[in-house]
Amino acid sequence: MNSQPQSTDSLPTRGSLLAAAIGSEPEAWQQLLKLYEPRMLRWCRGQGLDRIETADVIQDAWMSVARGLASFRSQPGAGAFRAWLHQIVRRRIADYRRREVLRSPAVGGSSFAMRVAELPNESDQTPPSQDVPSQC
């Protein structure tokens, strides 16, 4: 018997494992994590995400899997779990990048505080004198 773990590249995901995960069996979810997280990590890192970004994307992807697993239907040649998961990860990467673009850079920091401190204080300024004709 071969003691080396088999790659998820060549094996279909067992329907019984997916059924157990749908049934919220913790052992099934642990097995899915063990089988697919290394692959998800490679997909993310292959797209240039750093360690923190990758962790965020993978977490979002697993949440999507948990929400959609009951409706997943594997059809020969059209819907392997691995392909479905890959599609989810690609979408979560796109979502992550979209959110990053929409975030505006924060204004602040010590240079901003120094610039504000250099502004004249309104209460320190004397109002300009107005030439009012004196009445005698």
Side-chain angles (χ1 to χ4, degrees):
M1 179 179 223
N2 188 354
S3 64
Q4 293 201 359
Q6 294 182 320
S7 168
T8 59
D9 289 337
S10 61
L11 295 174
T13 306
R14 294 185 331 269
S16 60
L17 177 60
L18 296 178
I22 291 169
S24 299
E25 292 184 26
E27 299 82 18
W29 281 103
Q30 288 301 318
Q31 186 65 26
L32 284 174
L33 292 172
K34 182 179 174 184
L35 285 170
Y36 288 103
E37 278 213 0
R39 172 157 294 280
M40 295 166 78
L41 177 77
R42 286 191 302 273
W43 291 335
C44 291
R45 298 306 292 264
Q47 291 297 312
L49 299 178
D50 67 23
R51 185 178 56 82
I52 294 171
E53 294 165 334
T54 295
D56 288 344
V57 166
I58 289 175
Q59 181 179 6
D60 288 347
W62 280 122
M63 289 176 16
S64 294
V65 169
R67 284 190 299 268
L69 188 57
S71 62
F72 170 73
R73 298 290 177 259
S74 180
Q75 298 172 0
F81 177 78
R82 185 174 40 256
W84 182 67
L85 180 62
H86 190 213
Q87 183 179 25
I88 289 172
V89 171
R90 284 191 352 250
R91 287 180 180 161
R92 295 302 74 86
I93 290 170
D95 291 345
Y96 183 85
R97 288 189 170 143
R98 229 179 338 270
R99 284 190 310 264
E100 288 301 304
V101 167
L102 294 175
R103 283 189 187 153
S104 59
V107 177
S110 57
S111 62
F112 179 76
M114 289 170 38
R115 289 185 12 218
V116 168
E118 292 172 357
L119 293 174
N121 188 341
E122 289 180 17
S123 63
D124 292 343
Q125 294 180 0
T126 55
S129 63
Q130 296 180 359
D131 292 331
V132 178
S134 58
Q135 295 177 4
C136 297

